[in-house]
Amino acid sequence: MIHTFRIISDLEVQHVNYMKEKYRIETYELCGNFGSIFKGVEVCIAKQLYTNKLHASIVVDLPVMLNRGEITNADFPFVTKTLENVFECFFGDKNLFQKHRLMRIDYRYDVIVESKEHRDAYIDLFEKSLQKKGHLQRKLGRFNVKREFVEYGTTIEHKNKSIKSMIYDKMAERIIKGEKVETYEKNVLRFEVALLVDRLYYEKNQMD
């Protein structure tokens, strides 16, 4: 099922002026993260690489927005309405949502595995299968106070220019990061597949 997605929308002069007036800031101060006023929605303003025009980048985390793990097609009218409200709130134009471009979409498949040892074994098996096929992979972790990289040991990621796949122990990830474990994340072994922009453009061209 769909888990998260990222969209971008180009900002016109009226949107920039609306934000300047609302937040009492200058144009050069607009770039940055505007946080998550709306639950499950992160809004960031950035300049396009070659044109220097501003665009809004919006990441939507559906389980957080809906406060549950199960996402169905019936939820999307609510999601659409919420995003229209986001665009109205930040840019004074709810119709701007209709002009967005999809940049990334993440799908997930959750399996309840009660035993942590079994979850670790599945992750190890996934790692071995990637090594056998010679796929590019990396282990996730963090840098400690000595700037030494410490692996989480609970996540394996495979990525290319079009698709990223990942398997990880969701509950262990929350605990390591010191975050709350939601009810729908308990004992979950999660497999995620992210379709990146190159893949999305390819799929769009196939449909045209």
Side-chain angles (χ1 to χ4, degrees):
M1 71 184 75
I2 295 177
H3 180 60
T4 60
F5 61 89
R6 174 176 174 255
I7 59 176
I8 65 171
S9 290
D10 297 329
L11 300 181
E12 304 294 340
V13 173
Q14 65 267 28
H15 306 129
V16 173
N17 289 339
Y18 179 87
M19 294 191 73
K20 287 168 61 178
E21 182 176 345
K22 180 173 182 176
Y23 295 104
R24 300 181 183 277
I25 55 179
E26 297 300 323
T27 303
Y28 69 88
E29 298 176 291
L30 284 175
C31 291
N33 193 323
F34 282 75
S36 51
I37 297 175
F38 290 79
K39 189 175 181 181
V41 180
E42 290 282 345
V43 178
C44 182
I45 309 300
K47 283 185 178 180
Q48 297 181 34
L49 184 59
Y50 299 108
T51 65
N52 277 335
K53 290 184 177 180
L54 294 175
H55 69 253
S57 173
I58 297 177
V59 177
V60 180
D61 188 327
L62 292 173
V64 174
M65 175 186 283
L66 300 171
N67 197 33
R68 53 185 162 82
E70 188 72 20
I71 313 298
T72 69
N73 289 339
D75 294 315
F76 283 93
F78 173 81
V79 174
T80 298
K81 182 64 176 178
T82 299
L83 289 175
E84 287 178 343
N85 291 338
V86 169
F87 278 84
E88 178 71 30
C89 174
F90 280 93
F91 314 115
D93 181 7
K94 70 176 183 179
N95 294 322
L96 182 60
F97 168 67
Q98 303 300 331
K99 301 176 183 178
H100 73 264
R101 302 190 298 280
L102 182 63
M103 303 302 290
R104 170 175 171 157
I105 185 167
D106 292 16
Y107 295 89
R108 82 172 200 273
Y109 182 73
D110 289 349
V111 179
I112 303 297
V113 181
E114 298 288 346
S115 167
K116 185 180 186 308
E117 289 74 18
H118 288 171
R119 295 197 298 273
D120 291 343
Y122 282 122
I123 292 170
D124 186 57
L125 184 63
F126 184 71
E127 178 184 8
K128 285 182 169 61
S129 70
L130 290 179
Q131 290 174 343
K132 185 175 181 180
K133 295 179 182 298
H135 288 167
L136 177 65
Q137 62 171 309
R138 69 188 180 107
K139 296 183 178 181
L140 302 190
R142 60 181 175 81
F143 286 95
N144 62 21
V145 292
K146 297 180 180 179
R147 301 304 298 163
E148 298 169 333
F149 185 75
V150 180
E151 294 176 0
Y152 288 149
T154 58
T155 306
I156 297 294
E157 179 186 279
H158 163 245
K159 182 178 181 180
N160 58 35
K161 291 182 179 180
S162 299
I163 297 175
K164 181 176 78 171
S165 61
M166 182 186 303
I167 185 171
Y168 62 103
D169 184 331
K170 185 61 184 179
M171 188 165 73
E173 180 210 39
R174 290 291 194 198
I175 293 171
I176 289 170
K177 293 181 177 179
E179 299 173 346
K180 177 185 175 183
V181 179
E182 301 292 346
T183 304
Y184 54 82
E185 296 171 335
K186 186 177 180 181
N187 296 326
V188 162
L189 184 68
R190 176 168 293 175
F191 184 77
E192 287 185 4
V193 175
L195 303 185
L196 307 179
V197 66
D198 285 355
R199 181 69 185 188
L200 294 171
Y201 281 154
Y202 171 79
E203 295 291 344
K204 180 179 182 299
N205 290 334
Q206 291 294 102
M207 295 174 63
D208 290 343

